[in-house]
Amino acid sequence: MCGIFGYVGKSNRAQDIVFEGLKTLEYRGYDSWGVAAKVKKHFFIEKHIGKIGNSKLNSKLSGLNSKLSIGHTRWATHGGVTVENAHPHLDCTKTIAVMHNGIIENYEFFKKDLIGKGHMFVSETDTEVVPHLIEEYLKKGFGFSTSVRNTFNLLTGLNAIIVAFAPSSEIVAVKNGSPLVLGADREGLFISSDVSGLISHTRKIIFLEDNQMIILGKKIKLFELPQGKEIRPVFHKIDWKFEKEDRGKFKYFLLKEIYDQPKIIENIALNYSQEAKKLARLVETAFGTFMLGCGTASYAALAGVYFFSRVANKHVNFSIGSEFNYLENYLTPQSLVIPISQSGETIDVIEPVKRAREKGSKIAAVVNVLGSTLYRQADTKIMLGAGMEKAVVGTKSFTAMVSVLLLTAFALAKREKEGERLLRKTAKNVREILRDDFVLKIKKIAEKLKDKEHIFLIGRGVSYATALEASLKLKETSYVHAEGFAGGELKHGVIALIEKDTPCIVFAPNDETYDDILSNAQEIKARGGFMIGIGPKENNVFDVFLKTEDLSIATIIPQVVISQLLAFYLAIKKGVKDPDKPRNLAKSVTVK
């Protein structure tokens, strides 16, 4: 969720290294940021509300001669969006600087006790108890790293904590939940919440695992918690190719990533046959298969359930990641769990996967980020190959997920060539949708919808998953209230919400759902609804119609691409400031 970057080493421009590191993590989403730098025996801090953007460090901080610095981009959890609540946080002596991802569930108990002992708090955060607890242990004569370990062992919740100590010029990091990655080169040591933050400095990486603590100083030391047994750190040489992502001709990453989709679909059609067969074999031999994801990934997983049923006559179970813990009694060593995630760091997916591993179930992860926590946890890894997705709103990652699952369903049915041909046709249709004349039609619909408070979306079969994903795109991009429903559910309560000119988007592929979804559309139109049809066949029930090719079960992909464009242009019409970074949202959700 939040971004973390730290440096200790030979360079006397540590704060500038950290500031630039935070910029590489902006895509994660945040509402405030801060940098702390060691000056002599204390820390100097600069904090701000809002985005880093094109800003520079305050000249007072930037001009310092510092070899130790940490920085953080924060999404508010405990306490509002204020300068005081932004990280890093200091102890009373200003020699301990702390930043934190996660939630400290028992912080109130410690805060009350610390205030009673005379500690001064300046924020409303749960994080601020950490430097003061460490300060208390130091007063009792414990060493710095032991004080950090003792403090972390007191805390409940899933957390990653980074502590910088001015007197020893050290950084200590400890985690249970949120991701942390360490890097080393000849000039110094680095810490980040994401490999992408380190790759411009070093390819010598340590992935910090849960219940581990690492010390970055004159050398690296690694310990197991809670006892503190020292273990040997193992470096990984990262040879991944990280291409620098820029917007090119586009004003926003979100729009660029929508336009990236045809080549991603084509790449999967042409190059993923073996990956699809590998995943298909696991599904075929498992006794119970479960697909799970959160948000956009959950709707891709739901679409996958329909793919496996309709193409391969195979039953696959679906669950939202955060609900899967309550279904884990089904799991056995013969079970297969397929977690689907863009970031590979979503806590609501990682946590149930850990529990599934404890039950002996096999894990086959479909993930977009190499080396992520989910990638490392999986027995089998299927990389999406969508490239870095810098906009918070997921677009090309969704089409990659759906394409991989579709190809896998055809591989399971021993019809992989048919699946490849279908995806190539789909990529061609998406290119046609991205042409200027088609986009102009979408812009006109966005103009019509810009003042509407509610939008309803309906579909059946695979198009039910389309309706859910399209409604999410509208909500998170344009902030309009949009709800997706299975068409058959209209009569069971939803239709009471339809009034004159209520917009309703109808996903109508040319399949077994067509007649039924048109009947649902007629019911809405009879009550005054404004009908927007998306599919291969026009019908007089639609007031506006956007045509896709007839792509059978793959029609979900062009339908969703149209929805992505509509959400983007509706956001622009409604004056959304930055569609790349929607309010209150993060790219990777690392707190429960």
Side-chain angles (χ1 to χ4, degrees), residues 329-488:
N329 293 332
Y330 291 124
L331 297 178
T332 72
Q334 288 74 46
S335 302
L336 173 67
V337 177
I338 305 176
I340 304 173
S341 172
Q342 191 286 133
S343 69
E345 301 292 356
T346 301
I347 194 67
D348 289 325
V349 173
I350 290 169
E351 190 180 52
V353 165
K354 285 182 183 177
R355 294 162 76 104
R357 286 184 65 87
E358 290 170 3
K359 288 181 173 286
S361 301
K362 294 181 178 64
I363 311 297
V366 179
V367 65
N368 196 45
V369 178
L370 201 64
S372 60
T373 300
L374 193 57
Y375 178 92
R376 301 197 312 276
Q377 285 182 345
D379 303 299
T380 301
K381 305 104 164 41
I382 307 294
M383 290 296 298
L384 289 169
M388 181 178 283
E389 193 174 60
K390 300 212 51 159
V392 170
V393 174
T395 52
K396 61 181 181 177
S397 59
F398 176 83
T399 53
M401 292 168 188
V402 169
S403 297
V404 167
L405 293 176
L406 182 64
L407 200 59
T408 301
F410 276 98
L412 187 59
K414 314 299 185 199
R415 295 157 52 198
E416 55 267 23
K417 292 299 181 184
E418 183 181 341
E420 292 167 12
R421 287 193 297 272
L422 184 58
L423 283 179
R424 289 199 298 271
K425 286 178 63 179
T426 301
K428 181 180 178 183
N429 187 210
V430 171
R431 278 201 173 86
E432 293 166 353
I433 287 166
L434 296 172
R435 288 174 48 178
D436 289 347
D437 55 343
F438 198 102
V439 171
L440 181 60
K441 297 176 185 177
I442 295 172
K443 289 180 179 179
K444 288 179 179 177
I445 295 173
E447 178 68 30
K448 173 79 175 177
L449 299 181
K450 69 178 182 180
D451 296 320
K452 300 296 183 182
E453 290 186 41
H454 312 285
I455 301 174
F456 296 104
L457 306 93
I458 59 171
R460 286 173 175 261
V462 178
S463 293
Y464 170 44
T466 310
L468 294 173
E469 170 60 11
S471 69
L472 180 60
K473 292 288 89 76
L474 288 165
K475 281 182 274 199
E476 60 188 353
T477 307
S478 66
Y479 311 149
V480 69
H481 172 241
E483 291 295 332
F485 297 97

Side-chain angles (χ1 to χ4, degrees), residues 2 11 131 162 239 244 268 379 443 446-447 567:
C2 307
S11 172
I162 296 82
D239 56 4
K244 182 176 175 58
I268 291 169
D379 303 299
K443 289 180 179 179
E447 178 68 30

